[in-house]
Coordinates of all heavy atoms in Angstrom, one line a residue:
M1 N 28.3 -11.2 5.2 CA 27.7 -10.0 4.7 C 26.3 -10.0 5.0 O 25.5 -10.8 4.8 CB 28.0 -10.0 3.1 CG 27.8 -8.7 2.5 SD 28.3 -8.5 0.7 CE 30.1 -8.7 0.9
A2 N 25.8 -8.7 5.4 CA 24.4 -8.7 5.8 C 23.7 -7.8 4.8 O 24.3 -7.0 4.1 CB 24.4 -7.9 7.1
R3 N 22.3 -7.9 4.8 CA 21.5 -7.2 3.8 C 20.6 -6.3 4.7 O 20.0 -6.7 5.7 CB 20.7 -8.1 3.1 CG 19.7 -7.3 2.1 CD 18.9 -8.2 1.3 NE 19.9 -8.7 0.3 CZ 19.7 -9.7 -0.6 NH1 18.6 -10.3 -0.5 NH2 20.6 -10.1 -1.5
V4 N 20.6 -5.0 4.2 CA 19.7 -4.0 4.9 C 18.7 -3.5 3.8 O 19.1 -3.2 2.7 CB 20.5 -2.8 5.4 CG1 19.6 -1.8 6.1 CG2 21.6 -3.2 6.5
V5 N 17.5 -3.4 4.2 CA 16.4 -3.1 3.3 C 15.9 -1.8 3.7 O 15.7 -1.4 4.8 CB 15.2 -4.0 3.3 CG1 14.1 -3.6 2.5 CG2 15.7 -5.4 2.8
V6 N 15.8 -0.8 2.6 CA 15.2 0.6 2.8 C 13.9 0.5 2.0 O 14.0 0.5 0.8 CB 16.3 1.6 2.5 CG1 15.6 3.1 2.6 CG2 17.6 1.5 3.3
D7 N 12.9 0.7 2.7 CA 11.6 0.9 1.9 C 11.1 2.3 1.9 O 11.3 3.0 3.0 CB 10.4 0.1 2.7 CG 10.7 -1.4 2.4 OD1 11.0 -1.9 1.3 OD2 10.5 -2.2 3.4
V8 N 10.9 2.8 0.9 CA 10.5 4.3 0.6 C 9.1 4.4 0.1 O 8.8 3.7 -1.0 CB 11.4 5.0 -0.3 CG1 11.1 6.5 -0.4 CG2 13.0 4.9 0.2
M9 N 8.3 5.0 0.7 CA 6.7 5.2 0.3 C 6.4 6.8 0.4 O 7.0 7.4 1.2 CB 6.0 4.5 1.3 CG 6.0 3.0 1.3 SD 5.7 2.2 -0.3 CE 3.9 2.5 -0.3
L10 N 5.6 7.0 -0.5 CA 4.9 8.3 -0.4 C 4.3 8.6 0.9 O 3.6 7.7 1.4 CB 4.0 8.6 -1.5 CG 4.5 8.8 -2.9 CD1 3.5 8.8 -4.0 CD2 5.3 10.1 -3.0
K11 N 4.3 9.8 1.5 CA 3.5 10.0 2.7 C 2.1 9.9 2.4 O 1.7 10.1 1.3 CB 3.9 11.4 3.2 CG 5.4 11.6 3.7 CD 5.6 13.0 4.2 CE 7.0 13.0 4.8 NZ 7.3 14.3 5.3
P12 N 1.3 9.5 3.5 CA -0.1 9.1 3.2 C -0.9 10.4 2.6 O -1.8 10.2 1.9 CB -0.6 9.0 4.6 CG 0.5 8.5 5.4 CD 1.7 9.2 4.9
E13 N -0.5 11.6 2.9 CA -1.3 12.8 2.4 C -0.8 13.2 1.0 O -1.4 14.1 0.4 CB -1.0 14.0 3.4 CG 0.4 14.5 3.5 CD 1.2 13.8 4.6 OE1 0.9 12.8 5.1 OE2 2.3 14.3 5.0
I14 N 0.1 12.4 0.4 CA 0.5 12.8 -0.9 C -0.1 11.8 -1.9 O -0.2 10.6 -1.8 CB 2.1 12.5 -1.1 CG1 2.9 13.5 -0.1 CG2 2.6 12.8 -2.5 CD1 2.7 14.9 -0.3
L15 N -0.7 12.4 -3.0 CA -1.4 11.7 -4.1 C -0.4 10.8 -4.6 O 0.7 11.0 -4.9 CB -2.0 12.7 -5.1 CG -2.8 12.2 -6.2 CD1 -4.0 11.6 -5.6 CD2 -3.1 13.3 -7.2
D16 N -0.8 9.5 -5.0 CA -0.1 8.5 -5.5 C -0.8 8.1 -6.9 O -1.6 7.1 -6.9 CB 0.0 7.3 -4.6 CG 0.9 6.3 -5.2 OD1 1.2 6.3 -6.3 OD2 1.1 5.2 -4.5
P17 N -0.4 8.8 -8.0 CA -1.2 8.4 -9.2 C -0.9 7.1 -9.7 O -1.7 6.4 -10.4 CB -0.8 9.6 -10.2 CG 0.5 10.2 -9.6 CD 0.3 9.9 -8.1
Q18 N 0.3 6.5 -9.5 CA 0.7 5.3 -10.0 C -0.1 4.2 -9.2 O -0.7 3.3 -9.8 CB 2.2 5.0 -9.8 CG 3.1 5.8 -10.8 CD 4.5 5.6 -10.7 OE1 5.0 5.8 -9.5 NE2 5.2 5.2 -11.7
G19 N -0.2 4.4 -7.9 CA -1.0 3.4 -7.1 C -2.5 3.5 -7.5 O -3.1 2.5 -7.6
Q20 N -3.0 4.7 -7.9 CA -4.4 4.9 -8.2 C -4.6 4.1 -9.5 O -5.7 3.4 -9.8 CB -4.8 6.3 -8.3 CG -4.9 6.9 -7.0 CD -5.3 8.4 -7.2 OE1 -5.0 9.0 -8.2 NE2 -5.8 9.0 -6.1
A21 N -3.7 4.2 -10.5 CA -3.8 3.6 -11.8 C -3.8 2.1 -11.6 O -4.6 1.3 -12.3 CB -2.7 4.0 -12.8
V22 N -3.0 1.6 -10.8 CA -2.9 0.1 -10.5 C -4.4 -0.2 -9.9 O -4.9 -1.3 -10.3 CB -1.7 -0.3 -9.5 CG1 -1.9 -1.8 -9.1 CG2 -0.5 -0.2 -10.3
Q23 N -4.8 0.4 -8.9 CA -6.0 0.1 -8.1 C -7.2 0.2 -9.1 O -8.0 -0.8 -9.1 CB -6.2 1.1 -7.1 CG -7.4 0.8 -6.1 CD -8.6 1.3 -6.4 OE1 -8.8 2.3 -7.1 NE2 -9.8 0.5 -6.3
R24 N -7.3 1.0 -10.1 CA -8.3 1.0 -11.0 C -8.3 0.0 -12.1 O -9.4 -0.6 -12.5 CB -8.3 2.4 -11.8 CG -8.8 3.5 -11.0 CD -9.1 4.8 -11.9 NE -7.9 5.2 -12.7 CZ -7.0 6.1 -12.2 NH1 -7.1 6.7 -11.1 NH2 -5.9 6.3 -13.0
A25 N -7.1 -0.5 -12.4 CA -6.9 -1.6 -13.3 C -7.2 -3.0 -12.7 O -7.6 -3.9 -13.5 CB -5.5 -1.7 -13.8
L26 N -7.0 -3.1 -11.4 CA -7.2 -4.5 -10.8 C -8.7 -5.1 -11.1 O -8.6 -6.4 -11.4 CB -6.9 -4.4 -9.3 CG -5.5 -4.3 -8.9 CD1 -5.3 -3.9 -7.4 CD2 -4.6 -5.3 -9.4
P27 N -9.8 -4.5 -10.9 CA -11.0 -5.0 -11.2 C -11.1 -5.5 -12.7 O -11.7 -6.6 -12.9 CB -12.0 -3.9 -10.8 CG -11.3 -3.1 -9.9 CD -9.9 -3.1 -10.3
R28 N -10.7 -4.7 -13.5 CA -10.7 -5.2 -15.0 C -9.9 -6.4 -15.3 O -10.3 -7.1 -16.2 CB -10.2 -4.0 -15.8 CG -11.0 -2.7 -15.9 CD -10.5 -1.8 -17.0 NE -9.2 -1.5 -17.0 CZ -8.7 -0.4 -16.4 NH1 -9.4 0.4 -15.7 NH2 -7.4 -0.1 -16.5
L29 N -8.9 -6.6 -14.4 CA -8.1 -7.8 -14.5 C -8.6 -9.1 -13.7 O -7.9 -10.1 -13.7 CB -6.6 -7.6 -14.2 CG -6.0 -6.6 -15.1 CD1 -4.7 -6.1 -14.5 CD2 -5.9 -7.0 -16.5
G30 N -9.8 -8.9 -13.1 CA -10.3 -9.9 -12.3 C -9.9 -10.0 -10.8 O -10.3 -10.9 -10.1
F31 N -9.3 -9.0 -10.4 CA -8.9 -8.9 -8.9 C -9.8 -7.8 -8.2 O -9.6 -6.8 -8.3 CB -7.4 -8.4 -8.9 CG -6.4 -9.4 -9.6 CD1 -6.0 -9.0 -10.8 CD2 -6.0 -10.6 -8.9 CE1 -5.1 -9.9 -11.4 CE2 -5.3 -11.5 -9.6 CZ -4.8 -11.1 -10.8
S32 N -10.7 -8.4 -7.4 CA -11.6 -7.6 -6.8 C -11.2 -7.5 -5.3 O -10.5 -8.3 -4.8 CB -13.1 -8.1 -7.0 OG -13.1 -9.4 -6.3
G33 N -11.9 -6.5 -4.5 CA -11.7 -6.4 -3.1 C -10.6 -5.5 -2.7 O -10.3 -5.4 -1.5
I34 N -9.7 -4.9 -3.6 CA -8.7 -4.1 -3.2 C -9.1 -2.6 -3.3 O -9.7 -2.2 -4.3 CB -7.6 -4.3 -4.2 CG1 -7.0 -5.7 -4.4 CG2 -6.3 -3.4 -3.8 CD1 -6.6 -6.3 -3.1
T35 N -9.1 -2.1 -2.1 CA -9.6 -0.6 -1.9 C -8.7 0.4 -2.1 O -8.9 1.6 -2.3 CB -10.4 -0.5 -0.6 OG1 -9.5 -0.7 0.4 CG2 -11.5 -1.5 -0.5
D36 N -7.3 0.2 -2.0 CA -6.3 1.2 -2.1 C -5.0 0.5 -2.5 O -4.7 -0.6 -2.1 CB -6.2 2.0 -0.8 CG -5.2 3.2 -1.0 OD1 -5.4 3.8 -2.2 OD2 -4.7 3.7 -0.1
V37 N -4.2 1.2 -3.3 CA -2.9 0.7 -3.6 C -1.9 1.9 -3.6 O -2.2 3.0 -4.0 CB -2.8 0.2 -5.1 CG1 -1.4 -0.2 -5.5 CG2 -3.7 -1.0 -5.2
R38 N -0.8 1.7 -2.9 CA 0.3 2.6 -2.8 C 1.6 2.1 -3.3 O 1.9 0.9 -3.0 CB 0.5 3.1 -1.3 CG -0.6 3.6 -0.6 CD -1.1 5.0 -0.9 NE 0.0 6.0 -0.6 CZ -0.2 7.2 -0.8 NH1 -1.2 7.7 -1.5 NH2 0.7 8.2 -0.4
Q39 N 2.2 2.8 -4.2 CA 3.4 2.2 -4.8 C 4.7 2.9 -4.2 O 4.7 4.1 -3.9 CB 3.4 2.5 -6.3 CG 4.6 1.9 -7.0 CD 4.3 2.0 -8.5 OE1 3.3 1.8 -9.1 NE2 5.5 2.3 -9.3
G40 N 5.7 2.1 -4.0 CA 6.9 2.7 -3.4 C 8.1 2.2 -4.0 O 8.1 1.5 -5.0
K41 N 9.4 2.3 -3.3 CA 10.6 1.8 -3.8 C 11.2 1.0 -2.7 O 11.0 1.2 -1.5 CB 11.5 3.0 -4.1 CG 11.1 3.9 -5.2 CD 12.0 5.1 -5.3 CE 11.8 6.1 -4.3 NZ 12.4 7.3 -4.6
R42 N 11.9 -0.1 -3.1 CA 12.6 -0.9 -2.1 C 14.1 -0.9 -2.5 O 14.4 -1.2 -3.6 CB 12.0 -2.3 -2.1 CG 12.8 -3.3 -1.2 CD 12.1 -4.7 -1.3 NE 13.0 -5.7 -0.9 CZ 12.7 -6.4 0.3 NH1 11.5 -6.3 0.8 NH2 13.5 -7.4 0.6
F43 N 15.0 -0.7 -1.6 CA 16.4 -0.8 -1.8 C 17.0 -1.8 -0.9 O 16.8 -1.9 0.2 CB 17.2 0.6 -1.5 CG 16.7 1.7 -2.3 CD1 15.7 2.6 -1.9 CD2 17.3 2.1 -3.5 CE1 15.1 3.6 -2.7 CE2 17.0 3.1 -4.3 CZ 15.8 3.9 -3.9
E44 N 17.8 -2.7 -1.5 CA 18.5 -3.7 -0.8 C 19.9 -3.5 -0.8 O 20.5 -3.5 -1.9 CB 18.1 -5.1 -1.3 CG 16.7 -5.5 -1.2 CD 16.4 -6.9 -1.8 OE1 17.3 -7.7 -2.2 OE2 15.2 -7.3 -1.7
L45 N 20.6 -3.3 0.3 CA 21.9 -2.9 0.4 C 22.7 -4.0 1.1 O 22.4 -4.5 2.1 CB 22.1 -1.7 1.3 CG 21.1 -0.5 0.9 CD1 21.3 0.6 2.0 CD2 21.6 0.0 -0.4
E46 N 23.7 -4.5 0.3 CA 24.7 -5.6 0.9 C 25.7 -4.7 1.7 O 26.4 -3.8 1.1 CB 25.3 -6.4 -0.1 CG 24.3 -7.1 -0.9 CD 23.6 -8.4 -0.1 OE1 24.3 -8.9 0.8 OE2 22.6 -8.8 -0.4
V47 N 25.8 -5.1 3.0 CA 26.7 -4.3 3.8 C 27.9 -5.0 4.2 O 27.8 -6.2 4.7 CB 26.0 -3.8 5.1 CG1 26.9 -3.0 6.1 CG2 24.7 -3.1 4.8
E48 N 29.1 -4.5 4.1 CA 30.3 -5.2 4.4 C 30.5 -4.9 5.9 O 30.5 -4.0 6.4 CB 31.4 -4.5 3.6 CG 32.8 -5.2 3.6 CD 33.7 -4.6 2.8 OE1 33.7 -4.5 1.6 OE2 34.8 -3.9 3.4
G49 N 30.9 -6.1 6.6 CA 31.1 -6.1 7.9 C 29.7 -6.1 8.7 O 28.7 -6.3 8.2
P50 N 29.9 -6.0 10.1 CA 28.7 -6.0 11.0 C 27.7 -4.9 10.8 O 28.2 -3.8 10.5 CB 29.3 -6.1 12.3 CG 30.5 -5.4 12.2 CD 31.1 -5.7 11.0
V51 N 26.4 -5.1 10.9 CA 25.5 -4.0 10.9 C 25.2 -3.7 12.4 O 24.3 -4.2 13.0 CB 24.2 -4.5 10.2 CG1 23.2 -3.4 10.1 CG2 24.5 -4.9 8.7
D52 N 26.0 -2.7 12.8 CA 25.9 -2.3 14.2 C 25.2 -0.9 14.2 O 24.6 -0.5 13.1 CB 27.2 -2.1 14.9 CG 28.2 -1.4 14.1 OD1 27.8 -0.6 13.2 OD2 29.4 -1.3 14.4
A53 N 25.1 -0.3 15.3 CA 24.4 1.0 15.4 C 24.9 2.0 14.6 O 24.2 2.8 13.9 CB 24.3 1.5 16.9
A54 N 26.2 2.0 14.5 CA 26.9 3.1 13.6 C 26.6 2.8 12.2 O 26.2 3.8 11.4 CB 28.4 3.0 13.8
A55 N 26.5 1.6 11.7 CA 26.2 1.3 10.4 C 24.8 1.7 10.0 O 24.4 2.2 8.8 CB 26.5 -0.3 10.0
L56 N 24.0 1.4 10.9 CA 22.5 1.7 10.6 C 22.3 3.1 10.6 O 21.4 3.7 9.8 CB 21.6 1.0 11.6 CG 21.3 -0.5 11.5 CD1 20.5 -1.0 12.7 CD2 20.5 -0.7 10.2
A57 N 23.0 4.0 11.5 CA 22.9 5.3 11.4 C 23.4 6.0 10.2 O 22.7 6.8 9.5 CB 23.7 6.0 12.6
R58 N 24.4 5.4 9.6 CA 25.0 5.8 8.2 C 23.9 5.6 7.2 O 23.7 6.3 6.4 CB 26.3 5.3 7.9 CG 27.4 5.7 8.5 CD 27.7 7.2 8.2 NE 28.4 7.3 6.9 CZ 28.5 8.3 6.1 NH1 28.0 9.5 6.6 NH2 29.0 8.3 5.0
I59 N 23.3 4.3 7.2 CA 22.3 3.9 6.2 C 21.1 4.9 6.3 O 20.6 5.2 5.4 CB 22.0 2.5 6.3 CG1 23.2 1.7 5.9 CG2 20.9 2.1 5.5 CD1 23.1 0.1 6.2
R60 N 20.7 5.2 7.6 CA 19.5 6.1 7.7 C 19.9 7.4 7.2 O 19.0 8.1 6.5 CB 19.1 6.2 9.2 CG 18.4 5.0 9.7 CD 17.7 5.3 11.1 NE 17.2 4.1 11.6 CZ 17.7 3.0 12.2 NH1 19.0 3.2 12.6 NH2 17.0 2.0 12.6
E61 N 21.1 7.9 7.4 CA 21.6 9.2 6.9 C 21.5 9.1 5.3 O 21.1 10.1 4.6 CB 23.0 9.6 7.4 CG 23.4 10.8 6.7 CD 24.9 11.1 7.3 OE1 25.6 10.2 7.7 OE2 25.4 12.3 6.9
M62 N 22.0 7.9 4.7 CA 21.9 7.8 3.2 C 20.6 7.9 2.7 O 20.1 8.4 1.7 CB 22.6 6.5 2.9 CG 22.5 6.1 1.4 SD 22.9 4.4 1.1 CE 24.1 3.9 2.2
A63 N 19.5 7.1 3.5 CA 18.2 7.2 3.0 C 17.6 8.5 3.1 O 16.9 9.0 2.1 CB 17.4 6.2 3.9
E64 N 17.9 9.3 4.2 CA 17.3 10.6 4.3 C 17.8 11.7 3.3 O 17.1 12.5 2.9 CB 17.7 11.1 5.8 CG 16.9 12.3 6.0 CD 16.9 12.7 7.6 OE1 17.5 11.9 8.4 OE2 16.4 13.8 8.0
T65 N 19.1 11.5 3.0 CA 19.7 12.5 2.0 C 19.7 12.1 0.5 O 20.0 13.0 -0.3 CB 21.2 12.8 2.4 OG1 22.0 11.6 2.4 CG2 21.2 13.4 3.9
F66 N 19.6 10.8 0.3 CA 19.8 10.3 -1.2 C 18.7 9.5 -1.6 O 18.2 9.7 -2.8 CB 21.1 9.7 -1.2 CG 21.5 9.2 -2.6 CD1 21.6 10.1 -3.6 CD2 21.6 7.9 -2.9 CE1 22.0 9.6 -5.0 CE2 21.8 7.4 -4.2 CZ 22.0 8.3 -5.3
L67 N 18.2 8.4 -0.8 CA 17.3 7.5 -1.4 C 15.9 8.0 -1.3 O 15.0 7.6 -2.1 CB 17.4 6.3 -0.5 CG 18.8 5.5 -0.6 CD1 18.8 4.3 0.3 CD2 19.3 5.2 -2.0
A68 N 15.5 8.9 -0.4 CA 14.1 9.4 -0.2 C 14.1 10.8 -0.3 O 15.1 11.5 0.1 CB 13.6 9.0 1.1
N69 N 13.1 11.3 -0.9 CA 12.7 12.8 -0.8 C 12.0 13.0 0.4 O 10.6 12.8 0.4 CB 12.1 13.3 -2.1 CG 11.6 14.6 -2.1 OD1 11.6 15.4 -1.1 ND2 11.1 15.2 -3.2
T70 N 12.5 13.4 1.6 CA 11.8 13.4 2.9 C 10.7 14.5 2.8 O 9.8 14.4 3.9 CB 12.7 13.6 4.0 OG1 13.5 14.8 3.8 CG2 13.7 12.3 4.1
V71 N 10.6 15.4 1.9 CA 9.5 16.3 1.8 C 8.1 15.7 1.6 O 7.1 15.8 2.1 CB 9.8 17.4 0.7 CG1 8.5 18.2 0.6 CG2 10.9 18.2 1.2
I72 N 8.2 14.5 0.6 CA 7.1 13.8 0.2 C 7.0 12.4 0.5 O 6.1 11.6 0.3 CB 6.8 14.0 -1.3 CG1 7.8 13.5 -2.1 CG2 6.5 15.5 -1.6 CD1 7.5 13.3 -3.6
E73 N 8.2 11.8 0.9 CA 8.4 10.3 1.2 C 8.7 10.0 2.6 O 9.5 10.8 3.3 CB 9.3 9.8 0.2 CG 8.9 9.8 -1.3 CD 10.0 9.3 -2.2 OE1 11.1 9.7 -2.0 OE2 9.7 8.6 -3.1
D74 N 8.3 9.0 3.1 CA 8.8 8.4 4.3 C 9.7 7.2 4.0 O 9.6 6.5 2.9 CB 7.6 7.8 5.3 CG 6.7 8.9 5.8 OD1 7.4 10.0 6.2 OD2 5.5 8.8 5.8
F75 N 10.5 6.7 5.0 CA 11.3 5.6 4.7 C 11.4 4.8 6.0 O 11.4 5.3 7.1 CB 12.7 5.9 4.1 CG 13.6 6.8 5.1 CD1 14.4 6.1 5.9 CD2 13.5 8.2 5.1 CE1 15.2 6.7 6.9 CE2 14.4 8.8 6.0 CZ 15.2 8.1 6.9
D76 N 11.7 3.5 5.8 CA 12.0 2.5 6.9 C 13.2 1.7 6.6 O 13.5 1.4 5.4 CB 10.8 1.6 7.0 CG 10.9 0.6 8.1 OD1 11.1 1.0 9.3 OD2 10.9 -0.6 7.8
V77 N 14.1 1.6 7.5 CA 15.3 0.8 7.5 C 15.2 -0.4 8.4 O 14.9 -0.3 9.5 CB 16.6 1.7 7.8 CG1 17.9 1.0 7.8 CG2 16.7 3.0 7.0
R78 N 15.6 -1.6 7.8 CA 15.6 -2.7 8.6 C 16.6 -3.8 8.2 O 17.1 -3.7 7.0 CB 14.2 -3.4 8.6 CG 13.8 -4.1 7.4 CD 12.4 -4.6 7.5 NE 12.1 -5.4 6.2 CZ 11.6 -4.8 5.3 NH1 11.5 -3.4 5.0 NH2 11.3 -5.6 4.1
V79 N 17.1 -4.6 9.0 CA 18.1 -5.5 8.7 C 17.4 -6.8 8.3 O 16.4 -7.3 9.1 CB 19.2 -5.9 9.9 CG1 20.1 -7.0 9.5 CG2 19.8 -4.7 10.3
Q80 N 17.6 -7.4 7.2 CA 17.0 -8.5 6.7 C 17.7 -9.8 7.1 O 18.8 -10.0 7.0 CB 16.9 -8.6 5.2 CG 16.0 -9.6 4.7 CD 15.9 -9.5 3.2 OE1 16.8 -9.5 2.4 NE2 14.6 -9.5 2.7
S81 N 16.8 -10.6 7.8 CA 17.6 -11.9 8.4 C 17.6 -13.0 7.3 O 17.0 -12.9 6.3 CB 16.7 -12.3 9.5 OG 15.3 -12.5 9.3

């Protein structure tokens, strides 16, 4: 069984209020030197059978239509070794 990871992040031009809140809190907690934080989502999919080109195409379709809002989010699909 293989694992495929789908990372979903807001597009760079989209405001990330959760990331900004984390970034503002870090200095108060003693973590300095962080200039920007972007928050996203990570999906780990256990895939039955081989992860071939057809399986990756289906997972990309799933990410584009269900896991990510492609108007405001980008996504990346990769096989985890």
Side-chain angles (χ1 to χ4, degrees):
M1 202 172 284
R3 177 174 289 167
V4 176
V5 175
V6 180
D7 290 313
V8 179
M9 296 292 295
L10 287 171
K11 291 182 177 183
E13 62 271 16
I14 302 298
L15 182 67
D16 183 356
Q18 289 177 307
Q20 288 177 338
V22 170
Q23 191 272 328
R24 285 191 306 267
L26 290 174
R28 291 192 308 266
L29 298 171
F31 300 102
S32 61
I34 306 300
T35 59
D36 192 30
V37 175
R38 303 287 291 176
Q39 184 169 321
K41 300 178 278 192
R42 174 183 167 116
F43 298 91
E44 295 183 0
L45 310 171
E46 295 291 333
V47 179
E48 191 175 293
V51 180
D52 55 12
L56 283 175
R58 282 294 284 163
I59 292 169
R60 281 190 185 90
E61 180 184 8
M62 177 195 322
E64 188 170 357
T65 59
F66 181 65
L67 300 179
N69 176 351
T70 56
V71 173
I72 62 170
E73 295 173 318
D74 291 325
F75 66 89
D76 179 58
V77 176
R78 70 181 185 284
V79 179
Q80 188 174 49
S81 53

